[in-house]
C-alpha cells in the first residue's frame, strides 16, 4: 500500500533549516496496524503528514497504492486523500455548532456519488446510534473522538491515520478508542497511529520508532 524511499522533509525558519525527516524508507502493507512512536520533535507528525498526503517531501520517492505521489500538485493530493485516507486528530476537530450526524456527513461535500454507508450507519457502527443529534459539547471526549472516527470513515477510505488520537482522553476512553481502531483494523482497514505513549504503541502489530527524523527501530 505504501512504499517510501529515502524521504526527506526540511522546514526553513528564517535562515535555519530544521531537518524533520532525514531519509526515511518504509513499506506498509494493506491491513497492517502500525504505531509510529518517538519523543516529541522526532518527526512523527511530519511523517504522518507526508504519508497522509497533507504535505510533500522535498526529496525521495513515495508510492501510494501503486502510484507515484511524490510530486503531485496540491489538488491532486487532495483528490487521492479524499478518496483513500481518513484522518483522526488529538483535538477531534469537530464543528462545534452542528450535530454528530452533520459532522460525520461533512466529507460528502467533496463527493458526487452516493456513499456506501450513510452517516447514520457509521454512527451506529461506532456505538453512537443514540447520540446522532447531539452537538459536540453534549458529548464526552471519547464520544467526540468516535464521531471523528465515523467522519474519517465517511468516504470509505482504505487507510486511517490517527495522530495522538487518545492524547486528550482519560484512560478508560483511550482504551475504548483503541479498541474501536482495532475492530476497524480487524475488518480490513489499514491503521497508522502516531503516539508518544509506549503502552498504546504496544498494542499495535508493528511498532516503528523514529528519532531525529530517522527510523531507528521497526519491529
Ligand atoms: P513530533 O510529531 O515527533 O513531535 P514533528 O514532526 O512535529 O515531531 O517535528 C519534527 C521537527 O520539525 C521538530 O524539530 C519541529 O520543531 C519541526 N517542525 C515541525 N513542523 C514544522 C513547521 N511547520 N515549521 C517548522 N518546523 C517544523
Amino acid at each position: 500500500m505504501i512504499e517510501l524511499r529515502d524521504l526527506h522533509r526540511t522546514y526553513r525558519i528564517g535562515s535555519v533549516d530544521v531537518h524533520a525527516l532525514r531519509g526515511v524508507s518504509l513499506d506498509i502493507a494493506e491491513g497492517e496496524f502500525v504505531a509510529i512512536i518517538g519523543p516529541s520533535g522526532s518527526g512523527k507528525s511530519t511523517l504522518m503528514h507526508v504519508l497522509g498526503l497533507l504535505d510533500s517531501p522535498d526529496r525521495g520517492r513515495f508510492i501510494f497504492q501503486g502510484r507515484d505521489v511524490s510530486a503531485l500538485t496540491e489538488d491532486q493530493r487532495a483528490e487521492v486523500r479524499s478518496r483513500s485516507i481518513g484522518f483522526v486528530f488529538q483535538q477531534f476537530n469537530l464543528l462545534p455548532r452542528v450535530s454528530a450526524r452533520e459532522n460525520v456527513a461533512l466529507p460528502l461535500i467533496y463527493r458526487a456519488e452516493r456513499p456506501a454507508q450513510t452517516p447514520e450507519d457509521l454512527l451506529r457502527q461506532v456505538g453512537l446510534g443514540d447520540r446522532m443529534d447531539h452537538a459536540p459539547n453534549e458529548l464526552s471526549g471519547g464520544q467526540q473522538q468516535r464521531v471523528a472516527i465515523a467522519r474519517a470513515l465517511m468516504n470509505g477510505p482504505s487507510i486511517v491515520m490517527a495522530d495522538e488520537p487518545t492524547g486528550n482522553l482519560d484512560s478508560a476512553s483511550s482504551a475504548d478508542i483503541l479498541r474501536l481502531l482495532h475492530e476497524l483494523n480487524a475488518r480490513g482497514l489499514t491503521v497508522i497511529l502516531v503516539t508518544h505513549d509506549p503502552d498504546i504503541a504496544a498494542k499495535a502489530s508493528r511498532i516503528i520508532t523514529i528519532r531525529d527524523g530517522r527510523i531507528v527501530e521497526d519491529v
Side-chain angles (χ1 to χ4, degrees), residues 11-13 18-20 38-47 163 194:
Y11 298 108
R12 177 134 247 214
I13 309 172
V18 179
H19 300 285
S40 178
S42 57
K44 303 181 297 294
S45 298
T46 303
L47 178 57
D163 194 354
V194 168

Side-chain angles (χ1 to χ4, degrees), residues 37-141:
I37 188 164
S40 178
S42 57
K44 303 181 297 294
S45 298
T46 303
L47 178 57
M48 202 194 86
H49 289 156
V50 171
L51 283 172
L53 295 164
L54 292 163
D55 187 19
S56 343
D58 309 310
R59 191 141 70 77
R61 215 152 73 96
F62 179 9
I63 310 289
F64 182 71
Q65 296 181 322
R67 174 178 182 195
D68 191 335
V69 294
S70 327
L72 296 186
T73 64
E74 177 66 45
D75 282 356
Q76 291 169 322
R77 278 195 272 127
E79 160 79 26
V80 179
R81 213 160 54 214
S82 69
R83 268 188 290 109
S84 308
I85 308 172
F87 293 94
V88 179
F89 298 99
Q90 179 172 353
Q91 315 287 355
F92 322 138
N93 295 344
L94 301 177
L95 289 185
R97 269 175 277 282
V98 303
S99 66
R101 185 200 311 267
E102 290 165 283
N103 267 289
V104 175
L106 275 178
L108 297 177
I109 292 172
Y110 306 107
R111 176 191 176 109
E113 56 301 10
R114 269 173 77 88
Q117 300 189 89
T118 64
E120 290 79 8
D121 294 334
L122 290 166
L123 281 165
R124 276 189 286 272
Q125 257 180 52
V126 300
L128 292 177
D130 55 350
R131 293 286 187 281
M132 294 192 197
D133 295 312
H134 289 240
N137 67 358
E138 299 164 343
L139 298 169
S140 71

